[in-house]
Amino acid sequence: MIYIPTLTLKSNPMKIRYLFLVVFATVVCSSGAQTKSQQGHTTLPRPKLVVGIVVDQMRWDFLYRYYDRYETGGFKRLLNEGFSCENTDISYVPTLTAVGHTSIYTGSVPAIHGITGNDFIIQGTGKSVYCTGDTTVQTVGSTSSAGLMSPRNLLVSTLTDELKLATDFRSKVIGIALKDRGGILPAGHVPNAAYWYDDVTGNWITSTYYMKDLPDWLKRFNSARNVEKYLKQDWNTLYPIDTYLQSFSDNNAYEGKFAMANAPTFPVKTSEMFGKNFSIIRYTPYGNSITLEFAREALDHEALGKNTVTDFLAISLSSTDYIGHQFGPNSIEVEDTYLRLDRDLAAFFKYLDAQIGKGNYTIFLTADHGASHNAQLLVDKNIPAGFLNANQILKELNVRLETKYKAASLVLGFGNYQVNLNNNVIAENNLKEDDIIADCIQFLKIQTGIATVVNMKNIQETSIPDALRGRIENGYHPERSGAIQIITKPGWYQWYGYMGATHGSWYPYDTHIPLLFMGWGIKQGKSNNSYYMTDIAPTISALLHIQAPNGSVGKVIAEVLK
Ligand SMILES: [Zn+2]
């Protein structure tokens, strides 16, 4: 426990009185926290547990689009009992999963934390790196390669790291998600564990970065084959299908179908689809259900929130993203997913009430990014949009460059909406990088669907809105980002298949995210003030009286805190 140093202020009676009031007030107001040590000293009030929940690809408007059918204990409980920051935005590009999870938990941006994409190219070597890939570790819990993961590419501390440092590593921290990056990046560098899902076995796994062997409780959980229990149920709509908001036929051209199905329609016969590969659960609402079931199991067996120090459970719900990509936001599938998630969340909060005690824990819920509408759907409704055929553009660009410079593949790719130059070939052929950049820009800026192209060497001289310039700068890490940033027109995105939807841009559909807090230390209310994703970590740090993560650029959202 950390003691408030009342003695050091002895010389100033005013300050002592003030401090007494503050201490008294916080002690009285914080019913859930431990306030007396064994020696009878007042101790710092903190929640017993913080639960961070990231809903992968949740647009802010999903809180309200499906509001009427949410039950009282899930999203509506967060909105009514908690505090909603209605205008929370992402302050960088590209808006992708790894970047979002990292920025939420570091209060930082790619320019500083170094996670510039799910994959990124190390500019000095031309080597493509997966955000959490690590070949120096081994899988624990499966013979597959899905466990070759660690947080080693993350360059700054996380909120969870800072909690560990503040409590001399006595706080327990666990990260959980179907996606490895959704479990690993939030849990930081020194968690007790991060767990993710293995498609080959249907088991929850980890890596030797964290431990040598799975705990016994997890071995038992895996061998109970919960994944099969879910998949055998098939996926049908929770309510009669004609009562759903979405008016498109369940069978329409905007939705991608399952590989083993004839059409993108209900019921989804998951009972007939699993066997050799258990990845199918990712693409159903059961992926969220099993994640929360596993989270309860971890909470129980690791006795989180049962000690005198604050513990941290970082959960990311990945299925919303997989389903969003496959079907797009205007599908019955996405609507049904959120109605089911709402029920799952209600049950989870109830469980926390029972296990930790209502008012003893703090929750925040947010998203790593939003999502576009399906571009063809917009086009069909006369709203400007389109697909950017990046592969075709890349091919043509490389042909033009090769004709001029007599060197092949001068551009490696457009990953993360950046032009990644082949710096090795440029050096070997003694070519001038600046000339190649100029030629790339000249070619790219006239392509259909591209709004602007920015040379990162002279972004200050580029005529673009300040809001966009700031987001591009925040997203740019010189060692891990391409030399040129491509900005698509609103509604346009890189060709991803004409079905479903995607994300990555700086426009509101991708950047306006939900941000809700509830529980210990949190006021009840709603604010329309403008906040950023990077404010989450400093706000929870302030709540816990710990230092903000070491790359944080965010501000404390003061109106949320009691
Ligand atoms: Zn995604």
Side-chain angles (χ1 to χ4, degrees):
M1 274 295 142
I2 294 165
Y3 298 95
I4 293 174
T6 42
L7 290 176
T8 55
L9 297 171
K10 223 172 198 167
S11 55
N12 186 334
M14 277 293 284
K15 267 192 187 164
I16 292 175
R17 210 170 305 140
Y18 172 72
L19 191 71
F20 175 76
L21 277 172
V22 170
V23 171
F24 180 74
T26 31
V27 166
V28 167
C29 296
S30 53
S31 56
Q34 189 185 359
T35 51
K36 286 255 178 171
S37 75
Q38 279 161 348
Q39 293 82 23
H41 295 178
T42 13
T43 58
L44 185 66
R46 277 176 177 155
K48 289 175 180 294
L49 176 71
V50 179
V51 182
I53 302 174
V54 179
V55 183
D56 204 314
Q57 204 190 105
M58 182 171 179
R59 294 162 55 111
W60 160 83
D61 65 347
F62 285 176
L63 286 173
Y64 300 105
R65 186 193 286 232
Y66 311 126
Y67 185 89
D68 290 351
R69 259 207 177 153
Y70 287 147
E71 298 186 349
T72 48
F75 287 116
K76 275 184 178 163
R77 179 170 170 191
L78 289 168
L79 284 164
N80 296 328
E81 276 182 35
F83 196 102
S84 179
C85 297
E86 292 283 296
N87 283 297
T88 307
D89 200 3
I90 299 176
S91 61
Y92 57 79
V93 283
T95 46
L96 302 172
T97 299
V99 195
H101 284 80
T102 305
S103 302
I104 291 165
Y105 279 87
T106 61
S108 191
V109 290
I112 300 164
H113 64 55
I115 303 298
T116 52
N118 292 330
D119 299 90
F120 47 85
I121 289 175
I122 304 294
Q123 299 299 309
T125 62
K127 209 181 122 204
S128 180
V129 168
Y130 178 64
C131 57
T132 49
D134 185 347
T135 52
T136 70
V137 297
Q138 278 105 49
T139 306
V140 175
S142 169
T143 51
S144 82
S145 58
L148 307 185
M149 303 284 164
S150 84
R152 286 196 174 107
N153 290 325
L154 170 57
L155 304 178
V156 302
S157 72
T158 57
L159 170 60
T160 40
D161 286 341
E162 294 295 334
L163 178 63
K164 279 278 189 180
L165 287 162
T167 61
D168 198 31
F169 303 95
R170 283 177 298 147
S171 290
K172 281 190 187 160
V173 171
I174 295 181
I176 287 174
L178 292 177
K179 289 186 184 178
D180 44 53
R181 54 190 183 273
I184 291 168
L185 296 164
H189 298 88
V190 278
N192 298 69
Y195 298 111
W196 56 96
Y197 182 75
D198 179 43
D199 289 340
V200 177
T201 57
N203 285 344
W204 291 90
I205 61 166
T206 186
S207 84
T208 50
Y209 178 86
Y210 304 97
M211 62 190 79
K212 288 197 178 70
D213 195 13
L214 293 183
D216 286 340
W217 65 262
L218 179 48
K219 286 180 185 169
R220 285 197 301 275
F221 186 76
N222 281 337
S223 55
R225 301 306 293 161
N226 294 287
V227 57
E228 294 182 27
K229 174 188 82 188
Y230 285 107
L231 292 176
K232 279 175 183 160
Q233 295 174 43
D234 291 338
W235 175 19
N236 215 331
T237 52
L238 200 52
Y239 300 104
I241 197 162
D242 55 3
T243 63
Y244 280 65
L245 275 177
Q246 303 306 328
S247 60
F248 295 107
S249 147
D250 186 29
N251 191 0
N252 67 65
Y254 309 121
E255 300 177 7
K257 66 179 187 65
F258 283 95
M260 288 174 72
N262 296 321
T265 50
F266 285 105
V268 182
K269 291 283 196 186
T270 52
S271 58
E272 294 165 12
M273 293 179 186
F274 74 94
K276 289 185 285 296
N277 185 321
F278 291 93
S279 66
I280 198 84
I281 199 168
R282 295 177 187 264
Y283 299 85
T284 74
Y286 301 137
N288 295 329
S289 307
I290 200 173
T291 304
L292 288 168
E293 186 183 351
F294 175 47
R296 284 199 292 267
E297 202 74 6
L299 200 100
D300 252 11
H301 290 283
E302 299 295 341
L304 299 185
K306 298 286 186 193
N307 209 327
T308 52
V309 287
T310 304
D311 295 328
F312 204 118
L313 180 59
I315 303 169
S316 178
L317 299 163
S318 312
S319 287
T320 35
D321 183 69
Y322 292 112
I323 296 165
H325 278 296
Q326 185 170 336
F327 298 96
N330 300 81
S331 61
I332 296 171
E333 283 80 356
V334 166
E335 183 175 357
D336 193 65
T337 297
Y338 278 88
L339 297 182
R340 287 173 181 273
L341 173 59
D342 180 58
R343 286 189 168 190
D344 286 347
L345 287 173
F348 185 68
F349 298 159
K350 220 169 166 183
Y351 186 82
L352 290 173
D353 290 344
Q355 293 300 306
I356 315 295
K358 201 176 172 182
N360 287 343
Y361 62 91
T362 307
I363 287 183
F364 68 86
L365 181 143
T366 188
D368 52 346
H369 53 73
S372 65
H373 292 281
N374 176 277
Q376 190 59 47
L377 184 154
L378 295 183
V379 169
D380 290 348
K381 296 286 180 190
N382 296 320
I383 299 171
F387 300 96
L388 201 71
N389 193 339
N391 288 343
Q392 187 59 32
I393 296 172
L394 176 64
K395 227 163 131 187
E396 282 176 33
L397 175 59
N398 268 327
V399 168
R400 283 171 75 110
L401 293 173
E402 187 173 350
T403 308
K404 182 167 176 185
Y405 295 102
K406 314 293 173 218
S409 303
L410 278 166
V411 174
L412 292 172
F414 296 146
N416 304 325
Y417 288 93
Q418 292 150 5
V419 177
N420 285 279
L421 296 175
N422 195 334
N423 292 316
N424 291 332
V425 172
I426 292 172
E428 282 161 19
N429 291 276
N430 277 321
L431 301 173
K432 280 205 185 96
E433 189 191 11
D434 286 347
D435 294 347
I436 295 166
I437 288 175
D439 285 329
C440 287
I441 289 175
Q442 198 183 28
F443 175 76
L444 289 171
K445 71 181 181 189
I446 54 166
Q447 301 301 315
T448 317
I450 291 182
T452 188
V453 190
V454 178
N455 179 357
M456 292 311 300
K457 285 184 181 170
N458 62 9
I459 183 168
Q460 291 311 324
E461 286 124 64
T462 312
S463 176
I464 47 174
D466 281 343
L468 174 56
R469 193 189 326 276
R471 282 166 169 81
I472 294 174
E473 285 178 326
N474 283 340
Y476 180 73
H477 191 288
E479 292 161 18
R480 298 179 174 191
S481 303
I484 299 166
Q485 181 72 46
I486 301 166
I487 302 295
T488 59
K489 287 182 175 160
W492 285 73
Y493 49 83
Q494 276 197 40
W495 190 87
Y496 198 87
Y498 294 109
M499 277 88 76
T502 193
H503 50 87
S505 80
W506 75 292
Y507 299 114
Y509 46 85
D510 284 343
T511 63
H512 189 185
I513 50 171
L515 176 57
L516 296 140
F517 298 87
M518 183 175 77
W520 189 94
I522 302 296
K523 277 188 202 157
Q524 190 272 326
K526 190 179 261 197
S527 172
N528 278 309
N529 288 333
S530 176
Y531 295 116
Y532 291 102
M533 175 188 265
T534 45
D535 298 332
I536 300 169
T539 302
I540 297 293
S541 300
L543 179 93
L544 298 176
H545 300 95
I546 63 174
Q547 281 289 358
N550 62 15
S552 176
V553 296
K555 289 197 175 78
V556 176
I557 307 175
E559 60 181 323
V560 160
L561 303 175
K562 270 183 185 160

